[in-house]
Amino acid sequence: MAETHSLQDLQQPIISSKVFIQRDYSSGTICRFQTKFPSELESRVDKQQFEETIQTLNNLYAEAEKLGGKSYLEGCLACLTAYTIFLCMETHYEKVLKKIAKYVKDQNEKIYAPRGLLITDPIERGLRVIEITIFEDRSIGSAR
Amino acid sequence: MKNCEYQQIDPQALPTPTPTPTPTPLPQHGHDSDRREEPRRPRRKWQVFPGKNRFYCDGRIMLARQSGVLPLTLGLILVTSGLFFIFDCPFLVKHLTSCIPVIGGVLFVFVLITLLQTSFTDPGILPRATPDEAADIENQIDNTGNTSYRPPPRTKEVLINQQVVKLKYCFTCKMFRPPRTSHCSLCDNCVERFDHHCPWVGNCVGKRNYRFFYTFIVSLSFLTAFIFGCVTTHLALRAQGGKGLVFALQESPGRYPLLTNPFTAVELVICFFSVWSILGLSGFHTYLVASNLTTNEDIKGSWSGKSGEDVTNPYSHRNIFINCCSVLCGPMPPSLIDRRGFLPADESAQTGSADIELPTQATKSEINVCTQGTKGLLESATLPPLLSTSCPQGKPQTAQTCADSPAVSSDLSPELSKSCGVRHPSSFTGATPSPSHPKNCSKKSKHAALHIPNPAFDDPLTPTSSDAGSSSKARGHQGDSITPLH
């Protein structure tokens, strides 16, 4: 009985709170998140680390939305085919979104999950916020 | 004890890390309260989508709940093009060149494809804030008023490219709207880079489908002008062979039956009146694209400096070419609402209850639709009077109602529907008769008031044809009071 209880305590995550990193609109409507370090995470994760994560995400989104020769070419080609190529081809944006999903997963596995945090991919929140879930810190003193 | 499900923090188990039963290899199951005892089958997110949209093909295709006059648009395009190909092309191929049906065919296919893409694509709908997000935003706002009356509109100011922009709080979606985002009252969604809600295509025009819409109207103006030119040439050639134009219209020399020429005359009339409105609309939208503006901003005069301050459009790249490229050839943003994703078990229950609790609060978007109607009135005044006669009578009333009661959408919709519903029989042939309109509209307003999440999703595969006529209550399309047809 006691074993099962402690096992349950160890492995069932309890959400303590959630922090939302809002969008930064100072450069327009491009997807950018605020890099301000929230106070709730002060005890959990290094400020430098956190800012690096957010900055990398911002750079990836900027890459997705970049206006350049390649995106214009894609757009013109799409226009000439009455946009039917969108049905068969994966767009540049979608490719970068996959990169972002992989990056978020990586960061979670390496840095945030060991500290009892979980970053939700912003695309799952409509690119409005980065949701960081803070779990109750039960790893102190428990055997792992 | 037997039911304790243990689950480690699994970074892959997004979005909610709460333990969910996963006994089978199938994706996460959702269920509604009626079917708890039955084996759980996965539900997709489109089935609990809170906005007023209809989904087909298991969430691949979406439309606004009121399809507007999309069937009419499609019908006119198909009929006029069909008549052109059947009656005019053979004559012109024989007397001129065989390129004519080829060019006509290419334009026709272009028009049809872009029209369907405009109608069926997600315009850039922003998903509503999750309860946690909404609570977080509420905590950040000072809540000084009590909850017995509607609190004053909440705004947040941001600095975009050295320009102060006010972000408004959306009471329906429970979040601060990003810049250039507006809440469409007809679709009950916040749409990014909201341009307008177009009844002719039966959908909002926003960030994701603006390029389809622009290509549609440009190719439609080419098609209309082309058919008009061909029909005129056809009649001119026939008249040369006979005793004049009237003879050419009335009688049928050669191998065609008598029916041929009346159809040609009909095409001529339709094309003549459509060409001006469609060309005008294309020109207007070309101006918008070149200055990186939306119809919404243009109508409201957000960046025209009316208030006397030195306001400039902070989104413009200050270069016409770059503006055009960024609007029309920029990267295609993804759909944010993830229609075909599966619901996690907990969220389906949460979403349902959250939606039922949400009353339809007023948003400023009804004014967007109405002001577009007023602008349309001003523009249609310059256009040929054939089909605009019915609409101006409707529009001042809608503008009036909007000015009087900008507050509540549920109050507004019956008013709009009543004022416009009466006008319908005169403006559309083949629309449902007027006595049924007030009933349909009042039913819709009741639905809007209750804001039941899925009233139309019980049978998503049967489109309500009665929606077609009555839904033109939002005549939000400037200059488009005239049939867009050749």
Side-chain angles (χ1 to χ4, degrees), chain B residues 326-372:
Chain B
S326 72
V327 175
L328 301 175
C329 305
M332 183 70 182
S335 175
L336 298 173
I337 53 177
D338 189 24
R339 304 184 286 282
R340 290 176 42 81
F342 287 102
L343 281 172
D346 294 340
E347 267 193 30
S348 58
Q350 269 183 20
T351 328
S353 56
D355 284 339
I356 287 168
E357 283 163 16
L358 277 177
T360 41
Q361 301 271 3
T363 59
K364 299 283 173 81
S365 60
E366 305 86 6
I367 300 180
N368 301 341
V369 172
C370 298
T371 49
Q372 285 164 32

mmCIF file of all heavy atoms in Angstrom, chain B residues 326-372:
data_model
loop_
_atom_site.group_PDB
_atom_site.id
_atom_site.type_symbol
_atom_site.label_atom_id
_atom_site.label_comp_id
_atom_site.label_asym_id
_atom_site.label_seq_id
_atom_site.Cartn_x
_atom_site.Cartn_y
_atom_site.Cartn_z
ATOM 1 N N SER B 326 4.884 41.345 -50.160
ATOM 2 C CA SER B 326 4.681 40.780 -48.825
ATOM 3 C C SER B 326 3.233 40.341 -48.639
ATOM 4 O O SER B 326 2.968 39.353 -47.957
ATOM 5 C CB SER B 326 5.072 41.779 -47.739
ATOM 6 O OG SER B 326 4.127 42.818 -47.676
ATOM 7 N N VAL B 327 2.288 41.052 -49.250
ATOM 8 C CA VAL B 327 0.890 40.663 -49.071
ATOM 9 C C VAL B 327 0.540 39.462 -49.933
ATOM 10 O O VAL B 327 -0.142 38.534 -49.490
ATOM 11 C CB VAL B 327 -0.054 41.844 -49.400
ATOM 12 C CG1 VAL B 327 -1.495 41.409 -49.345
ATOM 13 C CG2 VAL B 327 0.182 42.989 -48.441
ATOM 14 N N LEU B 328 1.009 39.485 -51.198
ATOM 15 C CA LEU B 328 0.560 38.458 -52.130
ATOM 16 C C LEU B 328 1.499 37.271 -52.260
ATOM 17 O O LEU B 328 1.055 36.163 -52.546
ATOM 18 C CB LEU B 328 0.360 39.078 -53.519
ATOM 19 C CG LEU B 328 -0.644 40.217 -53.592
ATOM 20 C CD1 LEU B 328 -0.656 40.816 -54.981
ATOM 21 C CD2 LEU B 328 -2.033 39.716 -53.239
ATOM 22 N N CYS B 329 2.793 37.522 -52.091
ATOM 23 C CA CYS B 329 3.741 36.428 -52.310
ATOM 24 C C CYS B 329 4.479 36.051 -51.040
ATOM 25 O O CYS B 329 5.446 35.320 -51.099
ATOM 26 C CB CYS B 329 4.796 36.819 -53.355
ATOM 27 S SG CYS B 329 4.107 37.362 -54.889
ATOM 28 N N GLY B 330 4.049 36.560 -49.917
ATOM 29 C CA GLY B 330 4.748 36.243 -48.687
ATOM 30 C C GLY B 330 4.536 34.791 -48.289
ATOM 31 O O GLY B 330 3.765 34.081 -48.924
ATOM 32 N N PRO B 331 5.224 34.358 -47.243
ATOM 33 C CA PRO B 331 5.047 32.979 -46.794
ATOM 34 C C PRO B 331 3.614 32.726 -46.347
ATOM 35 O O PRO B 331 2.967 33.599 -45.784
ATOM 36 C CB PRO B 331 6.010 32.843 -45.618
ATOM 37 C CG PRO B 331 6.616 34.141 -45.407
ATOM 38 C CD PRO B 331 6.191 35.093 -46.455
ATOM 39 N N MET B 332 3.145 31.523 -46.611
ATOM 40 C CA MET B 332 1.758 31.200 -46.289
ATOM 41 C C MET B 332 1.684 30.778 -44.827
ATOM 42 O O MET B 332 2.231 29.756 -44.446
ATOM 43 C CB MET B 332 1.321 30.038 -47.196
ATOM 44 C CG MET B 332 -0.106 29.628 -47.034
ATOM 45 S SD MET B 332 -1.181 30.898 -47.685
ATOM 46 C CE MET B 332 -2.744 30.174 -47.305
ATOM 47 N N PRO B 333 1.012 31.554 -43.990
ATOM 48 C CA PRO B 333 0.957 31.169 -42.578
ATOM 49 C C PRO B 333 0.104 29.923 -42.372
ATOM 50 O O PRO B 333 -0.810 29.676 -43.154
ATOM 51 C CB PRO B 333 0.336 32.383 -41.886
ATOM 52 C CG PRO B 333 -0.176 33.263 -42.943
ATOM 53 C CD PRO B 333 0.261 32.786 -44.272
ATOM 54 N N PRO B 334 0.373 29.156 -41.351
ATOM 55 C CA PRO B 334 -0.396 27.927 -41.135
ATOM 56 C C PRO B 334 -1.728 28.247 -40.472
ATOM 57 O O PRO B 334 -1.918 29.313 -39.911
ATOM 58 C CB PRO B 334 0.490 27.146 -40.168
ATOM 59 C CG PRO B 334 1.164 28.205 -39.373
ATOM 60 C CD PRO B 334 1.364 29.373 -40.294
ATOM 61 N N SER B 335 -2.620 27.281 -40.533
ATOM 62 C CA SER B 335 -3.889 27.441 -39.848
ATOM 63 C C SER B 335 -3.662 27.208 -38.362
ATOM 64 O O SER B 335 -3.043 26.225 -37.968
ATOM 65 C CB SER B 335 -4.896 26.423 -40.389
ATOM 66 O OG SER B 335 -6.079 26.489 -39.650
ATOM 67 N N LEU B 336 -4.175 28.128 -37.532
ATOM 68 C CA LEU B 336 -3.884 28.033 -36.111
ATOM 69 C C LEU B 336 -4.903 27.211 -35.340
ATOM 70 O O LEU B 336 -4.752 26.976 -34.157
ATOM 71 C CB LEU B 336 -3.821 29.448 -35.502
ATOM 72 C CG LEU B 336 -2.723 30.340 -36.070
ATOM 73 C CD1 LEU B 336 -2.870 31.744 -35.520
ATOM 74 C CD2 LEU B 336 -1.363 29.792 -35.720
ATOM 75 N N ILE B 337 -5.991 26.821 -36.014
ATOM 76 C CA ILE B 337 -7.043 26.190 -35.234
ATOM 77 C C ILE B 337 -6.984 24.669 -35.235
ATOM 78 O O ILE B 337 -7.763 24.036 -34.562
ATOM 79 C CB ILE B 337 -8.444 26.669 -35.684
ATOM 80 C CG1 ILE B 337 -8.633 26.487 -37.186
ATOM 81 C CG2 ILE B 337 -8.650 28.103 -35.285
ATOM 82 C CD1 ILE B 337 -10.018 26.875 -37.640
ATOM 83 N N ASP B 338 -6.067 24.084 -35.988
ATOM 84 C CA ASP B 338 -5.858 22.637 -35.903
ATOM 85 C C ASP B 338 -7.178 21.874 -35.924
ATOM 86 O O ASP B 338 -7.590 21.229 -34.955
ATOM 87 C CB ASP B 338 -5.090 22.283 -34.619
ATOM 88 C CG ASP B 338 -4.666 20.818 -34.606
ATOM 89 O OD1 ASP B 338 -4.543 20.235 -35.703
ATOM 90 O OD2 ASP B 338 -4.505 20.263 -33.514
ATOM 91 N N ARG B 339 -7.864 21.975 -37.065
ATOM 92 C CA ARG B 339 -9.201 21.405 -37.132
ATOM 93 C C ARG B 339 -9.205 19.893 -36.960
ATOM 94 O O ARG B 339 -10.127 19.329 -36.374
ATOM 95 C CB ARG B 339 -9.832 21.728 -38.484
ATOM 96 C CG ARG B 339 -9.869 23.196 -38.789
ATOM 97 C CD ARG B 339 -10.595 23.441 -40.078
ATOM 98 N NE ARG B 339 -9.883 23.083 -41.265
ATOM 99 C CZ ARG B 339 -8.936 23.790 -41.814
ATOM 100 N NH1 ARG B 339 -8.542 24.894 -41.249
ATOM 101 N NH2 ARG B 339 -8.352 23.380 -42.913
ATOM 102 N N ARG B 340 -8.191 19.251 -37.523
ATOM 103 C CA ARG B 340 -8.280 17.799 -37.569
ATOM 104 C C ARG B 340 -7.535 17.123 -36.430
ATOM 105 O O ARG B 340 -7.429 15.915 -36.412
ATOM 106 C CB ARG B 340 -7.750 17.305 -38.919
ATOM 107 C CG ARG B 340 -8.712 17.678 -40.032
ATOM 108 C CD ARG B 340 -8.190 17.304 -41.397
ATOM 109 N NE ARG B 340 -7.560 16.004 -41.452
ATOM 110 C CZ ARG B 340 -8.186 14.860 -41.558
ATOM 111 N NH1 ARG B 340 -9.502 14.836 -41.584
ATOM 112 N NH2 ARG B 340 -7.511 13.725 -41.603
ATOM 113 N N GLY B 341 -7.034 17.913 -35.476
ATOM 114 C CA GLY B 341 -6.365 17.288 -34.340
ATOM 115 C C GLY B 341 -7.390 16.606 -33.456
ATOM 116 O O GLY B 341 -8.561 16.960 -33.438
ATOM 117 N N PHE B 342 -6.908 15.639 -32.690
ATOM 118 C CA PHE B 342 -7.813 14.929 -31.792
ATOM 119 C C PHE B 342 -7.876 15.640 -30.454
ATOM 120 O O PHE B 342 -6.922 16.249 -29.999
ATOM 121 C CB PHE B 342 -7.327 13.490 -31.572
ATOM 122 C CG PHE B 342 -7.548 12.640 -32.786
ATOM 123 C CD1 PHE B 342 -6.501 12.346 -33.626
ATOM 124 C CD2 PHE B 342 -8.805 12.145 -33.083
ATOM 125 C CE1 PHE B 342 -6.692 11.575 -34.758
ATOM 126 C CE2 PHE B 342 -9.006 11.369 -34.212
ATOM 127 C CZ PHE B 342 -7.945 11.089 -35.043
ATOM 128 N N LEU B 343 -9.035 15.523 -29.823
ATOM 129 C CA LEU B 343 -9.229 16.160 -28.530
ATOM 130 C C LEU B 343 -8.672 15.289 -27.426
ATOM 131 O O LEU B 343 -8.953 14.091 -27.402
ATOM 132 C CB LEU B 343 -10.713 16.351 -28.265
ATOM 133 C CG LEU B 343 -11.418 17.506 -28.944
ATOM 134 C CD1 LEU B 343 -12.896 17.384 -28.688
ATOM 135 C CD2 LEU B 343 -10.908 18.824 -28.416
ATOM 136 N N PRO B 344 -7.953 15.883 -26.483
ATOM 137 C CA PRO B 344 -7.617 15.120 -25.289
ATOM 138 C C PRO B 344 -8.853 14.936 -24.443
ATOM 139 O O PRO B 344 -9.778 15.732 -24.526
ATOM 140 C CB PRO B 344 -6.602 15.994 -24.553
ATOM 141 C CG PRO B 344 -6.427 17.189 -25.355
ATOM 142 C CD PRO B 344 -7.400 17.213 -26.476
ATOM 143 N N ALA B 345 -8.868 13.931 -23.603
ATOM 144 C CA ALA B 345 -10.080 13.557 -22.861
ATOM 145 C C ALA B 345 -10.601 14.682 -22.002
ATOM 146 O O ALA B 345 -11.774 14.977 -21.983
ATOM 147 C CB ALA B 345 -9.799 12.337 -21.999
ATOM 148 N N ASP B 346 -9.688 15.395 -21.292
ATOM 149 C CA ASP B 346 -10.161 16.414 -20.365
ATOM 150 C C ASP B 346 -10.650 17.641 -21.079
ATOM 151 O O ASP B 346 -11.594 18.273 -20.675
ATOM 152 C CB ASP B 346 -9.025 16.833 -19.418
ATOM 153 C CG ASP B 346 -8.648 15.681 -18.517
ATOM 154 O OD1 ASP B 346 -9.476 14.778 -18.371
ATOM 155 O OD2 ASP B 346 -7.528 15.697 -17.994
ATOM 156 N N GLU B 347 -9.990 17.980 -22.158
ATOM 157 C CA GLU B 347 -10.307 19.254 -22.812
ATOM 158 C C GLU B 347 -11.674 19.275 -23.411
ATOM 159 O O GLU B 347 -12.315 20.298 -23.485
ATOM 160 C CB GLU B 347 -9.284 19.556 -23.904
ATOM 161 C CG GLU B 347 -8.159 20.413 -23.392
ATOM 162 C CD GLU B 347 -7.315 20.963 -24.524
ATOM 163 O OE1 GLU B 347 -7.858 21.178 -25.615
ATOM 164 O OE2 GLU B 347 -6.125 21.164 -24.303
ATOM 165 N N SER B 348 -12.168 18.121 -23.874
ATOM 166 C CA SER B 348 -13.472 18.130 -24.541
ATOM 167 C C SER B 348 -14.543 18.538 -23.561
ATOM 168 O O SER B 348 -15.414 19.327 -23.855
ATOM 169 C CB SER B 348 -13.798 16.774 -25.131
ATOM 170 O OG SER B 348 -13.791 15.798 -24.113
ATOM 171 N N ALA B 349 -14.447 18.056 -22.314
ATOM 172 C CA ALA B 349 -15.438 18.443 -21.307
ATOM 173 C C ALA B 349 -15.268 19.907 -20.961
ATOM 174 O O ALA B 349 -16.216 20.653 -20.853
ATOM 175 C CB ALA B 349 -15.271 17.573 -20.076
ATOM 176 N N GLN B 350 -14.013 20.338 -20.845
ATOM 177 C CA GLN B 350 -13.749 21.730 -20.477
ATOM 178 C C GLN B 350 -14.271 22.676 -21.518
ATOM 179 O O GLN B 350 -14.909 23.654 -21.231
ATOM 180 C CB GLN B 350 -12.244 21.946 -20.365
ATOM 181 C CG GLN B 350 -11.694 21.712 -18.985
ATOM 182 C CD GLN B 350 -10.211 22.008 -18.944
ATOM 183 O OE1 GLN B 350 -9.705 22.719 -19.809
ATOM 184 N NE2 GLN B 350 -9.535 21.483 -17.967
ATOM 185 N N THR B 351 -13.951 22.369 -22.769
ATOM 186 C CA THR B 351 -14.344 23.279 -23.840
ATOM 187 C C THR B 351 -15.850 23.434 -23.857
ATOM 188 O O THR B 351 -16.378 24.516 -24.008
ATOM 189 C CB THR B 351 -13.912 22.737 -25.199
ATOM 190 O OG1 THR B 351 -12.720 22.006 -25.032
ATOM 191 C CG2 THR B 351 -13.722 23.848 -26.184
ATOM 192 N N GLY B 352 -16.553 22.317 -23.706
ATOM 193 C CA GLY B 352 -18.011 22.363 -23.770
ATOM 194 C C GLY B 352 -18.573 23.308 -22.730
ATOM 195 O O GLY B 352 -19.352 24.197 -23.001
ATOM 196 N N SER B 353 -18.143 23.136 -21.468
ATOM 197 C CA SER B 353 -18.721 23.951 -20.405
ATOM 198 C C SER B 353 -18.308 25.395 -20.555
ATOM 199 O O SER B 353 -19.101 26.296 -20.338
ATOM 200 C CB SER B 353 -18.301 23.414 -19.047
ATOM 201 O OG SER B 353 -16.888 23.366 -19.004
ATOM 202 N N ALA B 354 -17.086 25.624 -20.957
ATOM 203 C CA ALA B 354 -16.622 27.007 -21.087
ATOM 204 C C ALA B 354 -17.440 27.740 -22.117
ATOM 205 O O ALA B 354 -17.786 28.897 -21.967
ATOM 206 C CB ALA B 354 -15.146 27.024 -21.454
ATOM 207 N N ASP B 355 -17.788 27.050 -23.185
ATOM 208 C CA ASP B 355 -18.529 27.717 -24.240
ATOM 209 C C ASP B 355 -19.945 28.017 -23.817
ATOM 210 O O ASP B 355 -20.491 29.053 -24.142
ATOM 211 C CB ASP B 355 -18.569 26.839 -25.491
ATOM 212 C CG ASP B 355 -17.233 26.883 -26.195
ATOM 213 O OD1 ASP B 355 -16.492 27.842 -25.968
ATOM 214 O OD2 ASP B 355 -16.944 25.954 -26.953
ATOM 215 N N ILE B 356 -20.551 27.121 -23.069
ATOM 216 C CA ILE B 356 -21.933 27.358 -22.685
ATOM 217 C C ILE B 356 -21.991 28.551 -21.743
ATOM 218 O O ILE B 356 -22.925 29.329 -21.771
ATOM 219 C CB ILE B 356 -22.535 26.096 -22.052
ATOM 220 C CG1 ILE B 356 -22.768 25.059 -23.152
ATOM 221 C CG2 ILE B 356 -23.837 26.392 -21.340
ATOM 222 C CD1 ILE B 356 -23.074 23.683 -22.661
ATOM 223 N N GLU B 357 -20.943 28.731 -20.941
ATOM 224 C CA GLU B 357 -20.980 29.844 -20.009
ATOM 225 C C GLU B 357 -20.789 31.180 -20.693
ATOM 226 O O GLU B 357 -21.220 32.198 -20.199
ATOM 227 C CB GLU B 357 -19.862 29.696 -18.965
ATOM 228 C CG GLU B 357 -20.166 28.679 -17.891
ATOM 229 C CD GLU B 357 -18.910 28.270 -17.151
ATOM 230 O OE1 GLU B 357 -17.906 28.998 -17.287
ATOM 231 O OE2 GLU B 357 -18.925 27.254 -16.474
ATOM 232 N N LEU B 358 -20.144 31.189 -21.822
ATOM 233 C CA LEU B 358 -19.821 32.461 -22.468
ATOM 234 C C LEU B 358 -21.071 33.105 -23.044
ATOM 235 O O LEU B 358 -21.657 32.573 -23.954
ATOM 236 C CB LEU B 358 -18.847 32.237 -23.623
ATOM 237 C CG LEU B 358 -17.364 32.134 -23.315
ATOM 238 C CD1 LEU B 358 -16.645 31.840 -24.608
ATOM 239 C CD2 LEU B 358 -16.831 33.412 -22.707
ATOM 240 N N PRO B 359 -21.449 34.264 -22.563
ATOM 241 C CA PRO B 359 -22.560 34.956 -23.229
ATOM 242 C C PRO B 359 -22.041 35.703 -24.438
ATOM 243 O O PRO B 359 -20.855 35.963 -24.536
ATOM 244 C CB PRO B 359 -23.039 35.939 -22.158
ATOM 245 C CG PRO B 359 -21.841 36.180 -21.313
ATOM 246 C CD PRO B 359 -20.963 34.992 -21.394
ATOM 247 N N THR B 360 -22.920 36.033 -25.370
ATOM 248 C CA THR B 360 -22.426 36.807 -26.505
ATOM 249 C C THR B 360 -22.291 38.248 -26.069
ATOM 250 O O THR B 360 -23.252 38.998 -26.046
ATOM 251 C CB THR B 360 -23.400 36.758 -27.692
ATOM 252 O OG1 THR B 360 -24.716 36.880 -27.179
ATOM 253 C CG2 THR B 360 -23.249 35.462 -28.438
ATOM 254 N N GLN B 361 -21.091 38.612 -25.752
ATOM 255 C CA GLN B 361 -20.839 39.992 -25.389
ATOM 256 C C GLN B 361 -20.672 40.800 -26.644
ATOM 257 O O GLN B 361 -20.397 40.277 -27.699
ATOM 258 C CB GLN B 361 -19.550 40.066 -24.578
ATOM 259 C CG GLN B 361 -19.580 39.232 -23.310
ATOM 260 C CD GLN B 361 -20.129 40.004 -22.136
ATOM 261 O OE1 GLN B 361 -20.529 41.147 -22.291
ATOM 262 N NE2 GLN B 361 -20.157 39.376 -20.976
ATOM 263 N N ALA B 362 -20.812 42.093 -26.523
ATOM 264 C CA ALA B 362 -20.640 42.908 -27.708
ATOM 265 C C ALA B 362 -19.167 43.040 -28.025
ATOM 266 O O ALA B 362 -18.336 43.090 -27.133
ATOM 267 C CB ALA B 362 -21.220 44.299 -27.463
ATOM 268 N N THR B 363 -18.881 43.081 -29.261
ATOM 269 C CA THR B 363 -17.537 43.399 -29.708
ATOM 270 C C THR B 363 -17.683 44.502 -30.723
ATOM 271 O O THR B 363 -18.785 44.775 -31.182
ATOM 272 C CB THR B 363 -16.871 42.186 -30.369
ATOM 273 O OG1 THR B 363 -17.668 41.782 -31.469
ATOM 274 C CG2 THR B 363 -16.769 41.045 -29.375
ATOM 275 N N LYS B 364 -16.574 45.084 -31.070
ATOM 276 C CA LYS B 364 -16.685 46.237 -31.950
ATOM 277 C C LYS B 364 -16.855 45.835 -33.403
ATOM 278 O O LYS B 364 -16.899 46.638 -34.287
ATOM 279 C CB LYS B 364 -15.444 47.127 -31.815
ATOM 280 C CG LYS B 364 -15.232 47.684 -30.420
ATOM 281 C CD LYS B 364 -16.177 48.851 -30.158
ATOM 282 C CE LYS B 364 -16.125 49.331 -28.729
ATOM 283 N NZ LYS B 364 -15.049 50.202 -28.409
ATOM 284 N N SER B 365 -16.883 44.551 -33.659
ATOM 285 C CA SER B 365 -16.785 44.131 -35.045
ATOM 286 C C SER B 365 -18.051 44.369 -35.826
ATOM 287 O O SER B 365 -18.034 44.461 -37.030
ATOM 288 C CB SER B 365 -16.426 42.666 -35.103
ATOM 289 O OG SER B 365 -17.455 41.946 -34.448
ATOM 290 N N GLU B 366 -19.218 44.437 -35.126
ATOM 291 C CA GLU B 366 -20.443 44.660 -35.884
ATOM 292 C C GLU B 366 -20.334 45.985 -36.596
ATOM 293 O O GLU B 366 -20.863 46.179 -37.669
ATOM 294 C CB GLU B 366 -21.672 44.733 -34.965
ATOM 295 C CG GLU B 366 -21.850 43.538 -34.058
ATOM 296 C CD GLU B 366 -21.060 43.669 -32.783
ATOM 297 O OE1 GLU B 366 -20.462 44.735 -32.559
ATOM 298 O OE2 GLU B 366 -21.010 42.703 -32.036
ATOM 299 N N ILE B 367 -19.642 46.910 -35.939
ATOM 300 C CA ILE B 367 -19.507 48.221 -36.552
ATOM 301 C C ILE B 367 -18.659 48.122 -37.801
ATOM 302 O O ILE B 367 -18.917 48.798 -38.777
ATOM 303 C CB ILE B 367 -18.904 49.210 -35.536
ATOM 304 C CG1 ILE B 367 -19.823 49.290 -34.331
ATOM 305 C CG2 ILE B 367 -18.699 50.554 -36.168
ATOM 306 C CD1 ILE B 367 -19.349 50.213 -33.265
ATOM 307 N N ASN B 368 -17.660 47.229 -37.764
ATOM 308 C CA ASN B 368 -16.859 47.041 -38.971
ATOM 309 C C ASN B 368 -17.738 46.650 -40.128
ATOM 310 O O ASN B 368 -17.641 47.175 -41.202
ATOM 311 C CB ASN B 368 -15.831 45.924 -38.771
ATOM 312 C CG ASN B 368 -14.916 46.233 -37.621
ATOM 313 O OD1 ASN B 368 -14.822 47.378 -37.227
ATOM 314 N ND2 ASN B 368 -14.262 45.228 -37.100
ATOM 315 N N VAL B 369 -18.606 45.671 -39.865
ATOM 316 C CA VAL B 369 -19.450 45.169 -40.942
ATOM 317 C C VAL B 369 -20.389 46.261 -41.409
ATOM 318 O O VAL B 369 -20.597 46.464 -42.590
ATOM 319 C CB VAL B 369 -20.245 43.943 -40.451
ATOM 320 C CG1 VAL B 369 -21.257 43.517 -41.467
ATOM 321 C CG2 VAL B 369 -19.289 42.811 -40.147
ATOM 322 N N CYS B 370 -20.968 46.993 -40.445
ATOM 323 C CA CYS B 370 -21.928 48.000 -40.816
ATOM 324 C C CYS B 370 -21.280 49.151 -41.540
ATOM 325 O O CYS B 370 -21.821 49.678 -42.494
ATOM 326 C CB CYS B 370 -22.642 48.514 -39.575
ATOM 327 S SG CYS B 370 -23.542 47.205 -38.776
ATOM 328 N N THR B 371 -20.096 49.574 -41.067
ATOM 329 C CA THR B 371 -19.458 50.710 -41.728
ATOM 330 C C THR B 371 -19.053 50.331 -43.134
ATOM 331 O O THR B 371 -19.055 51.134 -44.033
ATOM 332 C CB THR B 371 -18.226 51.202 -40.967
ATOM 333 O OG1 THR B 371 -17.396 50.080 -40.669
ATOM 334 C CG2 THR B 371 -18.627 51.882 -39.675
ATOM 335 N N GLN B 372 -18.723 49.057 -43.309
ATOM 336 C CA GLN B 372 -18.443 48.636 -44.677
ATOM 337 C C GLN B 372 -19.674 48.770 -45.522
ATOM 338 O O GLN B 372 -19.613 49.096 -46.695
ATOM 339 C CB GLN B 372 -17.968 47.184 -44.695
ATOM 340 C CG GLN B 372 -16.551 47.043 -44.208
ATOM 341 C CD GLN B 372 -16.232 45.622 -43.868
ATOM 342 O OE1 GLN B 372 -16.769 44.719 -44.483
ATOM 343 N NE2 GLN B 372 -15.397 45.412 -42.897
#
